[in-house]
Amino acid sequence: MCPAGSYCPDAGTKIPCPGGTFNDDDGGASVAACKACPAGTYGGAIGAKALADCAACVPGRFNPDAGSTSAAACAFCPAGTYGDEIGRAHV
């Protein structure tokens, strides 16, 4: 059985989930088994096994896109605004 953090398109071939995704279930057969890190987060590591492996944007930044792979995806809040929560998906 294919372990969490990866998918196995055929017997004996284990492929880690790409950055920006995670797979918390065993038995994934295609890359579709890898779930995107949600908006407000990013995930740079390949082979992530849990939602907790997706890092939240820090206060003062936001990321409206799912599946981001680096902290650079977390944009600064526009001038004159500030978000004090972590993991903001929108301004």
Side-chain angles (χ1 to χ4, degrees):
M1 178 172 292
C2 201
S6 61
Y7 63 97
C8 301
D10 54 55
T13 304
K14 181 179 97 171
I15 302 172
C17 288
T21 69
F22 67 96
N23 182 5
D24 52 1
D25 296 317
D26 292 330
S30 73
V31 71
C34 303
K35 305 166 184 96
C37 289
T41 70
Y42 61 93
I46 62 169
K49 298 177 182 175
L51 175 59
D53 293 327
C54 301
C57 294
V58 297
R61 292 180 174 246
F62 71 101
N63 178 10
D65 301 317
S68 297
T69 59
S70 77
C74 300
F76 284 104
C77 293
T81 67
Y82 182 77
D84 59 357
E85 305 93 18
I86 63 169
R88 289 185 63 91
H90 53 82
V91 179

